[in-house]
Amino acid sequence: MQPILLKNGRIIDPVNGIDMVGNLLLHLAKCAQINPSSLPEGTREIDLTGKWVVPGLIDIHVHLREPGEEYKETIESGAQAAAAGGFTAVACMPNTKPVLDSAQMIEAVLSKAQKAACRVYPVGAISSHGQGSTLANMGEMFAAGAVAFTDDGLPVSDSQLMRRAMEYAGNYGVPIISHSEEIGLSRHGSMNEGPMSTRMGIIGIPHAAEEIMVYRDLALAELTGQHVHLAHISTKESVSLIRRAKANGCPVSAETAPHYFSLTEKAVGKYDTYAKMNPPLRMDYDVEAIKEGLQDGTLDVIASDHAPHSDLEKELEFDRAANGIIGLETSLSLALQLVRSNCIDEKKLVELMSSNPAKALGLPGGSLTVGNMADVTVIDPLRQYTYQRDEVVSRSKNSPFLGWNLTGKAVLTIVGGKVTYEDL
């Protein structure tokens, strides 16, 4: 593998306390040296003046749709979209068809991912078939390579089952990922509940549908002493609950998605099904609370919740359309807006999208420590572009950000010392 010297870039590595302009040598698939005095023969030198060199971005909430819905996305196409978005690793959710609820299914994903453009870490199901009634064989899935467990897409309504899942996962040192939704309150709902849903004649989903389950799973984490990771947080009160639990020592981490700090329920105002998701887009005050949670460390991770759907599933009446949007290719650009608005700084951005995701699921990566694998993302913070449908790498195109003028993007993605995406 050809050695690579990333020259004159701003190297930002919060884990090692590095923020400097310098040169990073990648050699033998490792981060070899910062500011080397000599270079191996045949080194490719890339001038990155004005760009940032950061640990490879990690997205721990992605739906790759394979097996079962390859017309929406495959492991290969999803990994290519990830690389284009600057991600060197993703964790894929188990609600495929069939569900990833056995060692054989975990092994099948890992086998398919061997030639993918990024590292793929499968997450196993908590319950058999994702039906929420009996525990899946978590031990076998962990041994096969599962890095966490969740029934994402659906909540685990049985509290005793959730408690046992946390206890079993704790035995293996991996977290339970909570899809926090009280289904009795959210059933039949299609958008945020409030005056706007009333005016539009659409059944709403109240904030409490999320907050009740956030509270329950925080209580179960305290009861069991085991790590729970709360997915796609969207409401002000959820942020407050997590903040209070962390202050009390609860073993919890939490994520939000770019759409929850970039959009409000107003985005669905013209019955735009590309803005339909679960949990739904919320209110202005929720967006501000999400930003505050990212600032003060209440929310640890920005994850895309990349959820591909075909046009057939989106171009329907609003209440019949599928939930979810793609996000791998826009997450970084939307998060960079937080930096430009002084909500967070560059170091915090890297923590939220690289080092903290690695820590939350116990994954390798998240730093440029010499000797670590050479997973690197290069960001041009000033690159301007329009996010256009015909340039989307993902197999699906369901994004409310199509047509947006965005600033800042990944221009070079390197996995294990190999370039997987380049747009210098």
Side-chain angles (χ1 to χ4, degrees):
M1 188 177 298
Q2 183 182 28
I4 298 174
L5 183 70
L6 303 174
K7 295 172 56 179
N8 304 320
R10 179 182 173 187
I11 303 171
I12 305 172
D13 178 7
V15 170
N16 289 298
I18 298 172
D19 187 350
M20 58 178 282
V21 174
N23 305 327
L24 174 64
L25 175 65
L26 309 178
H27 186 36
L28 300 176
K30 304 289 185 183
C31 294
Q33 195 172 358
I34 294 177
N35 292 333
S37 56
S38 61
L39 300 177
E41 185 176 350
T43 298
R44 178 188 177 190
E45 299 185 33
I46 305 174
D47 183 41
L48 299 175
T49 301
K51 301 179 178 62
W52 304 347
V53 178
V54 306
L57 305 184
I58 301 171
D59 191 337
I60 61 172
H61 195 139
V62 170
H63 299 269
L64 293 179
R65 304 304 191 199
E66 185 177 4
E69 293 181 308
E70 288 84 351
Y71 64 97
K72 299 182 182 182
E73 196 77 283
T74 64
I75 293 170
E76 179 182 5
S77 68
Q80 289 171 340
F87 293 98
T88 57
V90 301
C92 61
M93 296 296 108
N95 56 336
T96 51
K97 296 179 179 178
V99 171
L100 306 183
D101 64 354
S102 68
Q104 292 76 16
M105 296 299 296
I106 298 297
E107 289 166 353
V109 169
L110 289 171
S111 177
K112 284 264 187 179
Q114 285 183 349
K115 296 182 180 178
C118 71
R119 303 180 195 277
V120 176
Y121 297 104
V123 176
I126 289 174
S127 65
S128 297
H129 309 297
Q131 294 178 341
S133 55
T134 58
L135 281 178
N137 195 325
M138 298 165 67
E140 287 188 1
M141 285 190 282
F142 173 72
V147 298
F149 297 96
T150 183
D151 277 357
D152 186 58
L154 290 171
V156 176
S157 296
D158 185 328
S159 298
Q160 184 70 297
L161 190 77
M162 192 62 158
R163 172 185 180 175
R164 298 303 179 208
M166 287 187 189
E167 291 170 341
Y168 276 105
N171 290 336
Y172 310 122
V174 298
I176 289 293
I177 300 174
S178 167
H179 173 107
S180 302
E181 178 182 1
E182 168 48 54
I183 206 79
L185 285 172
S186 64
R187 187 180 294 122
H188 307 307
S190 297
M191 66 173 291
N192 185 56
E193 181 178 293
M196 187 169 174
S197 63
T198 301
R199 286 197 302 273
M200 294 178 67
I202 295 175
I203 298 174
I205 299 173
H207 287 54
E210 175 178 306
E211 294 151 0
I212 287 172
M213 292 298 259
V214 166
Y215 182 84
R216 184 203 69 172
D217 289 342
L218 289 171
L220 289 176
E222 290 186 358
L223 174 65
T224 63
Q226 303 300 333
H227 178 192
V228 64
H229 177 80
L230 301 171
H232 41 56
I233 293 300
S234 72
T235 79
K236 178 180 179 179
E237 183 58 21
S238 291
V239 174
S240 296
L241 289 167
I242 296 164
R243 184 179 289 121
R244 189 160 64 242
K246 283 191 168 185
N248 292 333
C250 180
V252 58
S253 57
E255 70 184 42
T256 191
H259 33 279
Y260 297 122
F261 57 73
S262 303
L263 298 170
T264 69
E265 63 171 5
K266 295 173 185 173
V268 305
K270 296 182 179 179
Y271 299 90
D272 182 0
T273 58
Y274 277 17
K276 182 184 178 186
M277 54 202 76
N278 186 27
L281 298 173
R282 301 294 189 178
M283 311 288 281
D284 290 312
Y285 61 80
D286 294 302
V287 170
E288 292 308 309
I290 293 292
K291 291 179 180 178
E292 291 170 7
L294 291 169
Q295 277 180 319
D296 69 12
T298 300
L299 300 175
D300 307 86
V301 171
I302 293 174
S304 71
D305 195 3
H306 178 78
H309 290 294
S310 73
D311 291 343
L312 290 173
E313 287 135 334
K314 277 295 191 180
E315 294 179 357
L316 297 169
E317 295 87 346
F318 194 88
D319 57 350
R320 295 177 57 208
N323 284 310
I325 68 170
I326 57 172
L328 282 166
E329 295 164 71
T330 52
S331 283
L332 176 60
S333 300
L334 295 168
L336 282 165
Q337 175 57 32
L338 298 177
V339 178
R340 285 192 298 276
S341 63
N342 296 317
C343 175
I344 60 174
D345 61 17
E346 296 89 338
K347 171 177 172 286
K348 188 69 175 179
L349 175 82
V350 177
E351 289 175 347
L352 290 165
M353 299 191 73
S354 182
S355 49
N356 285 359
K359 183 179 179 182
L361 297 195
L363 304 177
S367 81
L368 299 174
T369 302
V370 172
N372 277 11
M373 55 191 190
D375 287 9
V376 180
T377 301
V378 176
I379 299 168
D380 183 343
L382 301 179
R383 177 74 66 88
Q384 295 184 337
Y385 70 104
T386 302
Y387 185 53
Q388 302 190 73
R389 182 184 176 94
D390 59 1
E391 295 179 359
V392 174
V393 177
S394 172
R395 188 165 284 190
S396 293
K397 316 298 177 189
N398 52 306
S399 171
F401 302 112
L402 290 173
W404 278 39
N405 296 318
L406 300 172
T407 300
K409 72 184 294 288
V411 294
L412 185 66
T413 306
I414 299 173
V415 179
K418 178 182 177 183
V419 174
T420 57
Y421 176 78
E422 183 169 349
D423 182 26
L424 290 168

